[in-house]
Amino acid sequence: MKDLMKAEWFKLSKSFGYKVLCACNIAAVFTTSLLLIAGAKGTGYEAFIMALTYILHHAVIACLFAAIFVCSEFSNRTFGMSLLCGYSRKKVFLSKLLVFLFGSICLFLIYTGAATIVMLIGNGFGQKNYLDILSLLFCGIFGYAAMGTVMIFIAVIAKKAFVTVGIGIGITYALLWVETNFKDGLLSLVKYTYSYQIGQLQFWGEGFSIWMFLVIVILTFVITLAGSIFIFDKIELK
């Protein structure tokens, strides 16, 4: 598995698509932040919370990354070639998953960090409770790692890049739409999803339940990871 990991790190470091996603993250931050600075609105801490809970943006980036980094392996038949080299399906998948999650978290940190720094320079940081900031960042990393496993689960099922992006964005948008338009009924179910819990980070210290957050995020991670491994073990790889 060590050789597989080295190969995946190399692919990530050389991926033009991944570099484009990093650049898009930074460009989006500077465009939005400069407009806010011009209007003297928002501190670094407020930008940190906004970036942390900007679920649709992170979902789009994660879907595109899954399409670039995972679905391309199906179309290029790289997975099949790894099996021919004598590696087990589980090792092939886990090496891909670990590097994918690392890349996803880096994309999240780039966007959140850049937004915070730009607004900090313009309007100061604001918040002084650094324990809360570290706790929020920790929760954000866990939340978006869970989102990453959801996206790779979709990619393993769909195999095709456009389908993965469409399903991933569609599911995220549908969940956010329900959260916005329903106060009862469906909302009572949606609140048990990772996207809703990530959004609740904006209410840190105001009724936010970290235990509910961790249980839902961990369950999402474990269930989608187990499902991905099971499906990858059964599908035909050419």
Side-chain angles (χ1 to χ4, degrees), residues 121-175:
I121 294 171
N123 296 327
F125 190 69
Q127 173 66 274
K128 299 298 181 183
N129 191 330
Y130 298 113
L131 181 59
D132 278 351
I133 295 163
L134 288 173
S135 298
L136 281 163
L137 188 60
F138 169 81
C139 287
I141 290 172
F142 263 76
Y144 287 110
M147 177 184 281
T149 59
V150 171
M151 297 309 171
I152 206 169
F153 176 72
I154 294 170
V156 168
I157 294 174
K159 297 183 183 179
K160 298 183 182 298
F162 287 112
V163 179
T164 297
V165 173
I167 293 175
I169 295 175
I171 290 174
T172 305
Y173 185 82
L175 290 172

Side-chain angles (χ1 to χ4, degrees), residues 16-185:
F16 176 74
Y18 185 72
K19 292 172 183 176
V20 169
L21 290 177
C22 291
C24 288
N25 258 347
I26 295 172
V29 164
F30 275 88
T31 301
T32 305
S33 298
L34 289 174
L35 290 173
L36 291 174
I37 290 172
K41 296 179 180 179
T43 62
Y45 178 72
E46 290 170 335
F48 171 72
I49 294 296
M50 179 198 74
L52 189 71
T53 57
Y54 195 178
I55 299 162
L56 187 57
H57 170 85
H58 293 298
V60 170
I61 294 294
C63 286
L64 291 171
F65 182 38
I68 292 167
F69 197 65
V70 181
C71 294
S72 61
E73 302 288 84
F74 288 108
S75 59
N76 296 334
R77 300 184 178 181
T78 310
F79 284 135
M81 287 187 283
S82 296
L83 296 179
L84 290 175
C85 292
Y87 296 107
S88 68
R89 285 184 178 237
K90 186 175 291 185
K91 288 182 178 180
V92 170
F93 179 77
L94 289 178
S95 61
K96 174 65 68 175
L97 172 73
L98 290 172
V99 177
F100 174 81
L101 290 179
F102 175 83
S104 297
I105 291 169
C106 284
L107 288 167
F108 157 69
L109 292 175
I110 288 170
Y111 182 81
T112 304
T116 304
I117 291 169
V118 171
M119 293 306 293
L120 183 153
I121 294 171
N123 296 327
F125 190 69
Q127 173 66 274
K128 299 298 181 183
N129 191 330
Y130 298 113
L131 181 59
D132 278 351
I133 295 163
L134 288 173
S135 298
L136 281 163
L137 188 60
F138 169 81
C139 287
I141 290 172
F142 263 76
Y144 287 110
M147 177 184 281
T149 59
V150 171
M151 297 309 171
I152 206 169
F153 176 72
I154 294 170
V156 168
I157 294 174
K159 297 183 183 179
K160 298 183 182 298
F162 287 112
V163 179
T164 297
V165 173
I167 293 175
I169 295 175
I171 290 174
T172 305
Y173 185 82
L175 290 172
L176 295 175
W177 184 81
V178 172
E179 290 173 27
T180 304
N181 293 279
F182 291 87
K183 301 303 179 185
D184 299 300

